[in-house]
Amino acid sequence: MKLMGRDIPARELLARIEERLRTRGLPTSEQVDVPEQGVEPRVDPLSFNLQALEENADATRALPLHTHRGGAGQFVLVAKWAFRKTCQVFINEALARQRVFNGHVRDSYAQLSAEVIRLRSEVEALRAAQATPQAQTTPAQEPQPAPSRARRSAKQNKASEE
């Protein structure tokens, strides 16, 4: 990993962070592969957001059940599971309009993303076309001599009198 031109040993840095977490009594994370090449590649925000909209478009699809509670937490999970199983028809009916709206948002975002990509490529093509002909086809023009100071001040005086 490089930061401001200096090499930072990523594995050593992560090991030191994990050690500090352990000394404070905090659980450490599971093993994560640190890329050897350094920073991971940049994520395209348009496709990332579209994928997130796609995954969460259906409001009637239940999220996984989990709890942070101790002993009574298992009872809460069973109660949530029973509610979902018995009331799924009502949940679907209540969230049907939201599901349709989310689908429209996802489709609109996809169209807008495609338009942004098309416009970016068009702008790049126009910039490239503008840069090359100017240097080749523009004839060298001689600069016009600037009017003398006396003529400029005379013109300014006339303009101020009117």
Side-chain angles (χ1 to χ4, degrees):
M1 186 181 321
K2 288 193 173 220
L3 182 67
M4 291 193 248
R6 290 185 282 171
D7 289 332
I8 297 174
R11 294 191 193 288
E12 181 182 320
L13 180 63
L14 287 174
R16 288 179 60 196
I17 291 171
E18 297 251 344
E19 182 60 34
R20 289 180 75 180
L21 289 173
R22 270 189 240 105
T23 59
R24 292 185 178 153
L26 299 173
T28 58
S29 62
E30 63 249 7
Q31 286 292 347
V32 178
D33 290 333
V34 178
E36 292 294 327
Q37 307 302 331
V39 180
E40 292 181 3
R42 185 173 180 263
V43 175
D44 178 35
L46 298 176
S47 63
F48 177 79
N49 289 334
L50 184 60
Q51 182 183 3
L53 285 172
E54 181 70 34
E55 290 173 3
N56 298 307
D58 188 5
T60 61
R61 193 178 77 202
L63 294 173
L65 291 174
H66 67 282
T67 184
H68 62 279
R69 296 178 186 92
Q74 297 304 315
F75 176 73
V76 172
L77 286 179
V78 170
K80 285 181 179 181
W81 178 83
F83 175 77
R84 285 182 181 175
K85 289 297 180 186
T86 58
C87 299
Q88 190 63 46
V89 173
F90 303 116
I91 293 170
N92 291 348
E93 183 65 29
L95 297 176
R97 181 170 278 179
Q98 183 67 49
R99 186 177 63 218
V100 170
F101 175 79
N102 291 351
H104 289 305
V105 169
R106 179 196 61 225
D107 296 343
S108 298
Y109 187 85
Q111 290 174 350
L112 289 173
S113 296
E115 183 70 11
V116 165
I117 291 169
R118 185 188 68 77
L119 290 173
R120 282 180 182 169
S121 64
E122 188 176 323
V123 165
E124 288 175 11
L126 288 173
R127 285 182 179 161
Q130 185 181 17
T132 54
Q134 273 187 345
Q136 295 172 356
T137 61
T138 305
Q141 295 179 354
E142 294 182 19
Q144 297 292 331
S148 67
R149 184 175 281 189
R151 278 194 276 170
R152 273 189 279 163
S153 60
K155 285 182 183 178
Q156 288 174 351
N157 288 340
K158 280 187 183 180
S160 62
E161 288 175 2
E162 293 176 355

